[in-house]
Amino acid sequence: MQDATFLNSIQSFFQKLLHNSKMRNITLLPVIAIWVTMLSLYWPYTVDDAYIIFRYSSNWAKGFGLVYNPGVPVDGYTSFLWTFLLGFWARYADIPIDTAAKISGSILSFISLLAVWHLSTQMPFISSRWIATLLTASAPSLVISSIEGLETPLYTAIQMLLLSQWLRDQRKGRLSMISGVLAGALTLTRPDGVLLSPILLIIFYLFHRRSISDFILRSVIPFTVGWALVYVPYFVWHFSYYGKPFPNTFYAKPGGHLDQLVHGLLRISSNIQEIGGWTSVILAILAFSKGVSPYNALMGGAILSRVLFHVWSGGEVMGHHRFLAPALPAYFLLLQLGLDTLIDLLRSEGARLTRISLRLVPLLLSGYMILAPLLDLRPSLLQYSQGLYRAHIQLGLWLRQHTPPTTRIAIGDAGAVPFYSERYTIDLMGLNDAHIAHLRGRYGQKIDVAYVLNQEPDYLILLSSTPPTHGFRGLTPVDGAIYEAISRAQRYKLKSFYQFSEDYFLWVFANAS
């Protein structure tokens, strides 16, 4: 009898804790503390591709325009809004631009956390509301994307604000111009963000069945006008400035090939293993076991938009699951709803002790999902940071200090070396070179050796898996083709090399003519 009373008291305490708004807000504090700790663990990490954006932003801040090389209009930055934001930092803040990117990314990630917390309160959850927020705060790809320097945290924050606004519009029975403006901002952050807009319109129509004319008048037109007010001025400027309708990266990295689709699917499987395995997928599917609602349909739509682009593109080249990362907050909200559904089922069947023990399930699941991958990833990312500083950054600094401003370099790793060297750069991979980008073929296999050598770069930096003592082995077909050409012509002599890792070296060739 005393045991039963004791168990009832504990159960009552948990129920009061979960339904008390002040206690729910206090529960958010340790989640934020965990998030800050995760960011601090990964803070030194910056991915090489981020320095491409930093170079564009710095050139804009210096008055050269949004260009990679002054005087050459090409847009290899993909994310206009992120590049422009960092340009303001570069122009008006007296801090390094990579630090500015980390601060901006952290602030935006915090906005995403608050949005997830807010969205988690809009469903009658049974278990703790902090589960989705905790998983969002500690998911490896979201933590890493917050500080690696790319646009992912901006995309995620705008997306979560858009989902929140969509739910408000859904309750009113009409889509607002505000939703359209947010959707337009999402498209400015990444062009593939446009995929979410038709999905939102379709879901909205399915839950507000009325005549097509009424739907168009009350929802499609306000949404589209809001989107157009943001995106159309940018598109007109972009086309007039660069002469192309899409970013240069769209032409450099075409998607849709069969092997890309397969690789994209495999990368999705890899990401699933990192966030709890297929058990988490089952829990997310359980969110639909009681029927399809605007809430779970919306979250599923957000996930679908990222999966479609990820599969089409084959996944990211640089960054840690960054194409899929924005889908994770919506995924975790579905997982939380599915977990609550499971707990509700078990509660109806179990004894008092079982009911109380179920309170531990969310905590144990969260620990299982976040601790192992974070511990596994941190050493490799810190090694990457050390290698980038030891090789790319040091080479870039050397070029800036020991070569005249008119020096031309050519390199496939077009991030940190060009950024720190501040020298005219031929991007061998084509991300920042319109000619190479428009060649036929796949990314990393588009080769025009004559085009590169006819520009007579003063330094050629090629990537090899071996040091000079073991002979050159190109890391990409482009590096191999150029090395073969300069070996025959003997116009370039090996000047030095920099070691990034055990199987990654930068060979620096100087023009001997």
Side-chain angles (χ1 to χ4, degrees):
M1 186 65 179
Q2 290 181 346
D3 290 341
T5 302
F6 175 71
L7 293 175
N8 284 330
S9 299
I10 294 178
Q11 184 177 1
S12 176
F13 169 77
F14 275 111
Q15 289 175 342
K16 292 179 181 178
L17 181 67
L18 292 172
H19 290 88
N20 185 292
S21 60
K22 291 183 179 180
M23 290 304 297
R24 288 200 301 267
N25 292 334
I26 292 175
T27 307
L28 183 60
L29 296 179
V31 173
I32 294 175
I34 292 173
W35 172 71
V36 172
T37 301
M38 294 297 102
L39 290 184
S40 65
L41 289 174
Y42 287 86
W43 192 261
Y45 174 70
T46 305
V47 69
D48 184 63
D49 269 14
Y51 288 97
I52 294 177
I53 295 177
F54 299 165
R55 182 173 166 103
Y56 278 95
S57 299
S58 297
N59 281 338
W60 176 80
K62 294 173 183 176
F64 298 129
L66 278 174
V67 294
Y68 187 71
N69 292 310
V72 182
V74 64
D75 58 334
Y77 49 81
T78 303
S79 178
F80 170 79
L81 206 55
W82 180 242
T83 307
F84 201 69
L85 172 64
L86 294 184
F88 272 103
W89 275 100
R91 176 171 289 189
Y92 299 113
D94 188 23
I95 58 175
I97 194 169
D98 55 343
T99 302
K102 293 176 185 294
I103 294 173
S104 299
S106 300
I107 293 172
L108 291 162
S109 294
F110 184 67
I111 292 174
S112 296
L113 282 181
L114 295 180
V116 171
W117 181 256
H118 170 71
L119 287 168
S120 71
T121 65
Q122 298 188 32
M123 291 294 288
F125 291 118
I126 301 162
S127 62
S128 298
R129 298 177 186 268
W130 46 262
I131 297 172
T133 312
L134 173 62
L135 295 178
T136 300
S138 52
S141 57
L142 288 171
V143 171
I144 293 167
S145 70
S146 298
I147 47 84
E148 70 181 357
L150 295 172
E151 73 283 344
T152 310
L154 177 61
Y155 186 98
T156 307
I158 295 175
Q159 173 195 263
M160 298 313 295
L161 293 175
L162 174 57
L163 298 185
S164 297
Q165 182 61 43
W166 188 95
L167 285 174
R168 294 190 193 97
D169 292 346
Q170 188 277 143
R171 289 191 290 269
K172 296 177 181 178
R174 59 189 302 170
L175 281 175
S176 67
M177 191 180 295
I178 296 176
S179 288
V181 168
L182 289 170
L186 197 67
T187 310
L188 285 187
T189 305
R190 286 197 59 88
D192 47 271
V194 74
L195 292 173
L196 184 57
S197 292
I199 292 175
L200 294 181
L201 288 170
I202 292 171
I203 296 175
F204 196 88
Y205 176 74
L206 293 176
F207 285 98
H208 294 274
R209 294 183 181 273
R210 52 171 69 99
S211 67
I212 294 294
S213 59
D214 186 52
F215 174 65
I216 292 175
L217 182 64
R218 290 167 55 86
S219 295
V220 175
I221 290 179
F223 183 89
T224 305
V225 168
W227 182 90
L229 285 174
V230 174
Y231 189 76
V232 170
Y234 157 78
F235 183 84
V236 172
W237 167 82
H238 179 276
F239 191 80
S240 63
Y241 190 74
Y242 296 111
K244 298 291 189 300
F246 304 113
N248 195 61
T249 50
F250 176 83
Y251 306 102
K253 298 191 290 186
H257 299 280
L258 179 60
D259 61 331
Q260 288 177 301
L261 302 180
V262 173
H263 186 262
L265 291 172
L266 293 176
R267 291 287 290 166
I268 290 174
S269 178
S270 172
N271 196 196
I272 288 173
Q273 296 304 318
E274 190 177 278
I275 56 173
W278 292 99
T279 300
S280 69
V281 176
I282 294 172
L283 288 173
I285 293 174
L286 277 177
F288 296 90
S289 62
K290 293 184 178 180
V292 180
S293 67
Y295 187 93
N296 55 24
L298 176 65
M299 300 308 157
I303 296 170
L304 177 62
S305 69
R306 299 316 304 156
V307 168
L308 287 175
F309 176 72
H310 182 88
V311 173
W312 177 83
S313 65
E316 72 290 336
V317 176
M318 298 289 285
H320 188 76
H321 296 298
R322 66 187 182 95
F323 291 168
L324 287 174
L328 292 186
Y331 181 80
F332 292 143
L333 286 165
L334 284 181
L335 184 150
Q336 177 170 304
L337 183 56
L339 179 61
D340 290 331
T341 302
L342 176 62
I343 290 178
D344 190 33
L345 175 64
L346 295 175
R347 278 168 53 90
S348 65
E349 301 294 335
R352 288 190 179 90
L353 183 60
T354 303
R355 297 175 191 175
I356 296 170
S357 64
L358 287 174
R359 299 296 183 186
L360 298 175
V361 172
L363 184 60
L364 295 175
L365 177 68
S366 302
Y368 164 72
M369 289 178 63
I370 64 179
L371 291 180
L374 282 171
L375 292 175
D376 288 341
L377 287 169
R378 186 170 182 268
S380 63
L381 292 182
L382 292 182
Q383 289 175 5
Y384 177 95
S385 299
Q386 294 166 1
L388 195 69
Y389 178 80
R390 184 171 56 242
H392 297 67
I393 294 177
Q394 289 301 311
L395 173 56
L397 292 173
W398 183 90
L399 287 167
R400 188 171 68 189
Q401 295 167 2
H402 296 89
T403 65
T406 55
T407 297
R408 289 182 167 228
I409 67 174
I411 185 173
D413 276 356
V417 173
F419 174 77
Y420 281 99
S421 69
E422 298 181 355
R423 298 296 180 258
Y424 185 99
T425 302
I426 305 166
D427 182 355
L428 300 178
M429 303 298 284
L431 289 178
N432 304 283
D433 188 288
H435 172 78
I436 295 176
H438 283 79
L439 294 175
R440 299 186 64 179
R442 307 288 297 280
Y443 177 69
Q445 300 175 4
K446 299 182 178 187
I447 304 171
D448 191 338
V449 175
Y451 166 78
V452 173
L453 297 183
N454 285 342
Q455 297 184 66
E456 299 187 350
D458 299 289
Y459 291 92
L460 273 170
I461 299 104
L462 303 181
L463 313 182
S464 174
S465 61
T466 54
T469 54
H470 291 71
F472 185 86
R473 293 181 183 176
L475 285 180
T476 73
V478 177
D479 294 297
I482 293 180
Y483 178 77
E484 183 179 347
I486 63 175
S487 296
R488 291 196 305 265
Q490 296 185 345
R491 289 170 52 191
Y492 286 85
K493 301 297 182 181
L494 181 66
K495 181 177 180 60
S496 61
F497 75 96
Y498 291 78
Q499 183 175 359
F500 179 92
S501 64
E502 293 181 358
D503 55 357
Y504 185 176
F505 297 83
L506 305 180
W507 287 36
V508 183
F509 294 89
N511 194 329
S513 60

